[in-house]
Amino acid sequence: VLEAVKQSEHYKSPVPGKHGGRGVAAGFWFNGGGPSSSHITFNHDGTVNLAEGSTDIGGSRASMAMIVAEELGIPYADVRPTVADTESVGYTDPTGGSRTTYATGMACHTAAQEAKQQLCQRAAKTWEIAVEDVAFVAGKGVVAKNDSSKVLTIVQITKDMNRTGGPIYAVGAVNARGAAPAFAVHIADVAVDPDTGKTTIVKYTAFQDVGRAIHPSYVEGQIQGGVAQGIGWALNEEYVYDDEGHLRNANLLDYRVPTALDLPLIETVLVEVPNPNHPYGVRGVGEVCIVPPAGAVANAIQRATGVRFDTLPLSPERVCMTVLKAGAK
């Protein structure tokens, strides 16, 4: 990730503005796994119903469908994902930015493996040969190992599944271990108003080891969301209490969460170093991205003002008062 930063146009470019500063910070998160469940059922037309237990807060349904479609060698549109509740699917740990695609994706992969075994069993029964003499080939279906002319597509197998044994139903239940850690390095360019202390984010780039990006645009969105939260933590978000301990900013109008008007386009660079513990190399990506922003923004403001800050948020008042107390220009 550091090498990607050093080679980037942002890192090599000049710092903009008279009162500008650039900060760089690195962050780490250990990521998680744990229990996840899914199940697959086939329709007579060869399409697949996928039920999984992770609430979709970052595009996970699409990612789960992509994993199943990849394993079965069918179009993504032929997989219909739904998020089931605990009455309809096996136990699944809570949805989190560092476990969902990793653990539930592994459950979907496991269910797809079982589904392929069942498809092979149905084909072997149709041909009246041993299941050891057939093989599943993604994108093709089931083929006979000793007779290349014998091929049954998934549609052909599912169309006839009631005659060969009834519904094809596969389950994936895992307690995922081996969640690889994630690393991110962020570059923040800021401009500090010398009269008010207000900090404006001019340019921001987030570099992150994402393992393998199953759905790159969703990965990018998760990173951008984490950066936005981190910038809010760095610059605005604060509980303000009076001398008697009363919370004085008890609503979101006065608790300043950054909006699109407060942020530039957050650029992302996806560094793919596959996690060897996952069949598709997945790492969690949604949590590590909140770690570097506070450090990157604080470092940038230090470069712009010449003063080191050790308290967040770096609100205009705090920046102004700290610079005045330090006697800096």
Side-chain angles (χ1 to χ4, degrees):
V1 176
L2 286 168
E3 287 297 328
V5 172
K6 290 195 294 183
Q7 298 302 319
S8 70
E9 292 298 321
H10 189 175
Y11 189 76
K12 296 177 181 179
S13 66
V15 179
K18 180 180 179 182
H19 301 290
R22 173 170 296 161
V24 179
F28 156 87
W29 189 246
F30 53 86
N31 286 334
S36 279
S37 301
S38 69
H39 62 241
I40 291 172
T41 56
F42 285 85
N43 302 308
H44 282 89
D45 61 358
T47 58
V48 173
N49 299 322
L50 168 66
E52 47 101 354
S54 292
T55 306
D56 189 346
I57 61 171
S60 58
R61 268 179 298 190
S63 299
M64 301 307 121
M66 291 172 70
I67 289 172
V68 171
E70 180 76 14
E71 283 302 306
L72 298 178
I74 61 177
Y76 163 74
D78 286 353
V79 181
R80 302 165 182 171
T82 59
V83 175
D85 60 20
T86 51
E87 293 180 345
S88 307
V89 73
Y91 178 79
T92 300
D93 260 1
T95 295
S98 68
R99 73 162 297 275
T100 302
T101 304
Y102 176 76
T104 304
M106 192 177 290
C108 292
H109 178 270
T110 301
Q113 302 309 306
E114 183 182 329
K116 290 191 289 188
Q117 291 177 10
Q118 293 190 36
L119 291 168
C120 287
Q121 291 168 359
R122 299 303 177 90
K125 187 172 184 178
T126 299
W127 291 324
E128 297 182 341
I129 61 178
V131 70
E132 293 80 12
D133 294 330
V134 304
F136 184 89
V137 179
K140 197 171 184 180
V142 180
V143 300
K145 294 180 180 179
N146 300 321
D147 186 351
S148 60
S149 66
K150 287 185 176 180
V151 179
L152 284 175
T153 65
I154 290 178
V155 176
Q156 290 173 320
I157 296 171
T158 57
K159 184 179 180 180
D160 206 28
M161 62 184 172
N162 287 349
R163 186 187 64 81
T164 59
I168 299 176
Y169 178 86
V171 176
V174 302
N175 189 13
R177 295 288 183 257
F183 304 90
V185 180
H186 293 186
I187 307 175
D189 288 358
V190 305
V192 180
D193 187 316
D195 296 319
T196 66
K198 182 181 186 298
T199 299
T200 300
I201 307 293
V202 178
K203 185 176 177 66
Y204 202 104
T205 306
F207 302 76
Q208 186 168 317
D209 175 5
V210 299
R212 178 166 288 139
I214 299 298
H215 197 309
S217 63
Y218 281 145
V219 171
E220 182 180 48
Q222 283 194 296
I223 293 172
Q224 290 168 331
V227 169
Q229 292 180 47
I231 289 174
W233 178 23
L235 294 180
N236 306 111
E237 297 182 39
E238 182 177 23
Y239 296 119
V240 179
Y241 294 91
D242 62 20
D243 292 339
E244 297 179 350
H246 300 127
L247 183 64
R248 300 306 302 270
N249 61 332
N251 60 68
L252 291 176
L253 184 64
D254 298 320
Y255 181 87
R256 288 280 294 112
V257 177
T259 70
L261 298 176
D262 304 306
L263 300 169
L265 173 66
I266 298 168
E267 299 179 15
T268 62
V269 177
L270 309 185
V271 180
E272 293 189 291
V273 182
N275 172 11
N277 301 316
H278 192 278
Y280 281 97
V282 170
R283 297 176 191 265
V285 301
E287 295 185 25
V288 67
C289 42
I290 200 174
V291 180
V297 171
N299 288 339
I301 295 176
Q302 179 189 12
R303 288 297 185 98
T305 63
V307 177
R308 184 66 183 169
F309 298 85
D310 57 10
T311 303
L312 296 177
L314 300 177
S315 60
E317 179 185 14
R318 180 165 284 135
V319 170
C320 224
M321 297 305 296
T322 303
V323 169
L324 289 173
K325 287 180 181 179
K329 296 181 180 181

